[in-house]
Amino acid sequence: MELLKDELYKIFSKKLIYAAIIILIIYSLFTMHEVGDLHIVKGAYNKYFEGYEGKIDSEKIERAKKFGKDIENMDFRENREEFFGKSLYHIEVLNIENHKENYSNWISKSEESLSKLEPNSYKYKVEKLEYETLKKTGYKDSIYYTAGWDEILESNSYIVFLFIGILIILGVSPVFSEEYNSKMDNIILSSRHGKGKLILSKITAVLIYCIFVVLIFSLFELITYGTLYGFKGYNVPLKNLQRLYDCTPFDMPVIKFYLIQRIFILLGSFAFGLFVLIMSSLCKNYLVPAFISGMVFLVPYVSDTFNFPVRKIFAVTYTDLIRLDGFGQGIDIINFLGNPMLYHNFLLIFIPVLYAVSISLIYFLSIRHQVS
Amino acid sequence: MKLEIRNVTKKYGKFCAVKNFSYEFTEGVYGLLGPNGAGKTTIIRILADVLNPTDGSVMLNGEDIKDMDYRYRNLIGYLPQDFGVYKNFTAHRFLMYIAALKGLSKTESQKRIEELLEITNLKEYSNVKTGTFSGGMKRRLGIAQALLNDPKILIMDEPTAGLDPKERVRFRNLLSEISKDKIVILSTHIVSDIEYISKEIVLIKKGEILKTGSSESLTNEIKGKVWKVLTDENGLKTIEERFTVGNIFRNGNKIETRIISENRPDDSAEAEIPTMEDVFLYYFDELSE
């Protein structure tokens, strides 16, 4: 416990970390300012939703259709906010109605395919998994005001994952390198726990630091988006979020999915923290692990952004594990040893294996380390 | 207790830092003496289990220290030649950290740290960040950390580097006090560190043992090879060219020299009683600090 406290002190006493957090938060607030107009629209949307939420019924559909016909004669310059609010609401109603139709079509087609495909084939297994998952979660059938949660769930893959990655690199790169550089490794390696408990303490300290980083930015998202859009809709089924989650494999309320998303971000962050720790255990100058880890983290992101072919080499990268782009938004299937597996289930196998390999490697490298 | 170095060799690429080195330590103070680059630090690091030999082994009471692992490290205290401190740690926090690394309980650590801060004259700096410490203060802090677990085997590499003369004396006295039931191994190129406190001195050159013995036996061996010669400014040049000169003392026009020579250098030369300084000069042909 004493060792852990000191390892935590070593990480958390670095002023650079706090400076980075402040800079990243200020930057984030500036980028939020740019979507100020959207905020006005959301405000109108929220106002118009009062009393009209819930299951989509024929009355709501008729009103939406009527609105579509009347729109040509409306003068939206007179009441811009009301016009936006009504438009967004009615478009959403019609989208949900379309989605219901698409869903029914897809289920029928899937049933047809399943009857034709060879039951032991990989294609059949994929089709069956998709069919069973979507059948279980059902289709989007209600309309709710969920703007806050839409933003909160999306902000990680938009920019917050970058902040998390940067903070992990800054905090974890010096963990071993600094000992080597300052020649403290001389004393550490000759001590009773220097080749055992200390390594475990460093790993635990990195885990706690990762929790801190994820928590800080999660709180930041909650506070800022919660203040802007409110927390309404936390208990609605995930599939009924306004954006992106129509075909989610997660059959659960938004708040539960949010917690699951945070746990996965934390699992990914710790995996990346362990990677940075491995690099740190190999280098004397902490700028080297910081640079290598920075490259490992940024190259997949840049490749994604600019659609570079190099991206296709790796099925899962550390960036993916923290970014969780598209996580829970559709049925993402991975071929795991010839069996189709939902992406999040695959991660639950992949991440512990990655932990085991990383931790073994950290032990191996640290125990073999000799002073020079 | 018997600590044994058995045929240890350490190579760095093609360079051989230690060649087939064997030696046995029992309770008492030992001095590893040799010029810079002799291989002392390499041997010390192997003994401290922070460096693996290319060949050979180190045994404690017949058991390989590699097999003993943490049981061996639990018995040692090590002061490296070079070590950093965490600049944002206070002296007290630093020692608490090392105590935790050594597996001491919190209460045990507190008590021991108080004692050692007193012994090393650092008590008033207990809550000062180590980043502000001078070289000598860091060295004293290093000595304190090495003694934290009351080690049975104390391994110190150039322990007095950076200490002022008064602190050196205090340190030597401290070692003499605590060495009764311990193996204390000091590596140094400063003769005065070990001259009066060592049970045995191991002279090392180019990674090999050149000579071993007590300070008395080593000085006895060069009896009749240390001379005092009085000369003038012209004669000094000739002496410096022909002999190893240990000391030059100018007294008016006269110059008194202390030289190392197998034979009497001239008729006026007077035989001197050899010191360890002369032993160092005799074997290494260079001046000790």
Side-chain angles (χ1 to χ4, degrees), chain B residues 83 120-122 133-143 159-164 167:
Chain B
F83 77 100
T120 52
N121 254 349
L122 286 172
F133 276 20
S134 67
M137 286 162 86
K138 280 182 191 163
R139 208 71 200 144
R140 281 184 275 153
L141 188 64
I143 292 167
T160 59
L163 297 186
D164 64 35
E167 285 164 352

Side-chain angles (χ1 to χ4, degrees), chain A residues 47-298:
Chain A
K47 210 157 85 183
Y48 198 72
F49 266 52
E50 295 276 279
Y52 295 99
E53 287 177 320
K55 287 246 185 229
I56 301 296
D57 52 22
S58 53
E59 190 194 327
K60 281 177 185 150
I61 295 163
E62 280 314 309
R63 269 202 297 137
K65 281 179 181 169
K66 191 174 176 294
F67 178 80
K69 279 177 194 166
D70 296 346
I71 201 164
E72 284 173 15
N73 305 322
M74 283 181 193
D75 185 2
F76 61 86
R77 283 166 301 186
E78 255 181 40
N79 197 341
R80 201 164 165 256
E81 196 177 287
E82 190 188 343
F83 176 77
F84 272 122
K86 281 183 176 177
S87 304
L88 288 168
Y89 178 82
H90 291 305
I91 288 166
E92 181 71 0
V93 169
L94 293 174
N95 276 344
I96 292 170
E97 181 60 9
N98 281 341
H99 173 72
K100 183 184 169 185
E101 209 176 305
N102 290 342
Y103 176 83
S104 307
N105 288 343
W106 190 88
I107 290 287
S108 315
K109 271 187 188 171
S110 189
E111 281 167 350
E112 199 184 321
S113 298
L114 283 171
S115 64
K116 285 179 188 167
L117 286 165
E118 168 63 38
N120 283 328
S121 67
Y122 179 72
K123 254 188 158 180
Y124 175 86
K125 287 178 189 169
V126 171
E127 190 72 44
K128 196 172 175 221
L129 182 60
E130 285 179 346
Y131 174 79
E132 283 173 352
T133 312
L134 271 189
K135 189 93 180 156
K136 198 177 130 206
T137 45
Y139 56 88
K140 186 175 184 176
D141 57 359
S142 306
I143 188 161
Y144 295 102
Y145 175 78
T146 58
W149 290 102
D150 276 311
E151 296 295 338
I152 289 166
L153 291 177
E154 272 177 59
S155 63
N156 181 68
S157 64
Y158 168 60
I159 194 149
V160 172
F161 78 99
L162 273 176
F163 299 170
I164 294 174
I166 291 168
L167 258 289
I168 290 173
I169 291 170
L170 289 178
V172 182
S173 293
V175 169
F176 278 109
S177 301
E178 213 168 58
E179 315 278 25
Y180 302 164
N181 197 28
S182 66
K183 295 181 178 169
M184 260 307 286
D185 55 344
N186 265 303
I187 293 172
I188 288 170
L189 291 173
S190 68
S191 66
R192 179 188 168 129
H193 296 312
K195 295 179 185 179
K197 272 189 186 170
L198 179 72
I199 303 167
L200 181 66
S201 302
K202 284 187 186 292
I203 292 171
T204 315
V206 169
L207 171 65
I208 293 170
Y209 175 67
C210 289
I211 294 173
F212 163 78
V213 171
V214 172
L215 219 61
I216 281 283
F217 287 112
S218 297
L219 278 175
F220 171 69
E221 286 170 318
L222 278 176
I223 292 167
T224 47
Y225 290 113
T227 312
L228 282 173
Y229 305 119
F231 294 108
K232 273 181 81 178
Y234 68 91
N235 54 353
V236 307
L238 184 66
K239 65 186 176 192
N240 286 324
L241 271 179
Q242 283 162 29
R243 295 202 304 252
L244 300 168
Y245 291 88
D246 307 4
C247 297
T248 181
F250 290 93
D251 183 24
M252 58 182 64
V254 168
I255 187 72
K256 195 173 170 189
F257 176 75
Y258 170 74
L259 294 174
I260 288 175
Q261 189 202 46
R262 294 297 118 173
I263 289 168
F264 272 92
I265 292 170
L266 177 61
L267 293 176
S269 301
F270 184 47
F272 185 57
L274 290 176
F275 172 77
V276 183
L277 202 55
I278 293 170
M279 291 299 115
S280 179
S281 72
L282 288 169
C283 310
K284 259 189 171 183
N285 185 336
Y286 84 91
L287 292 175
V288 180
F291 177 76
I292 295 170
S293 309
M295 284 294 113
V296 166
F297 190 69
L298 286 176

Side-chain angles (χ1 to χ4, degrees), chain B residues 5 24 30-31 69 86 102 166 192 204 220 242-243:
Chain B
I5 304 177
E24 207 177 285
Y30 292 82
D69 193 38
Y86 302 116
K102 289 177 181 249
K166 197 176 155 193
S192 57
I204 303 170
N220 278 342
R242 286 179 57 204
F243 305 105

Side-chain angles (χ1 to χ4, degrees), chain B residues 199-262:
Chain B
K199 173 175 150 184
E200 197 146 310
I201 294 169
V202 183
L203 302 179
I204 303 170
K205 194 173 185 179
K206 291 180 181 167
E208 289 176 295
I209 295 179
L210 203 62
K211 202 93 190 164
T212 64
S214 63
S215 117
E216 200 184 349
S217 70
L218 288 171
T219 48
N220 278 342
E221 277 188 45
I222 61 162
K223 244 181 191 169
K225 291 169 185 172
V226 183
W227 309 93
K228 183 169 89 179
V229 177
L230 288 173
T231 185
D232 54 21
E233 210 58 60
N234 292 332
L236 180 63
K237 272 188 183 169
T238 320
I239 287 171
E240 280 182 320
E241 278 166 17
R242 286 179 57 204
F243 305 105
T244 304
V245 181
N247 199 31
I248 300 169
F249 175 66
R250 290 174 195 275
N251 189 3
N253 292 333
K254 296 247 166 136
I255 300 172
E256 191 181 302
T257 59
R258 186 181 180 90
I259 63 173
I260 314 292
S261 169
E262 293 287 338

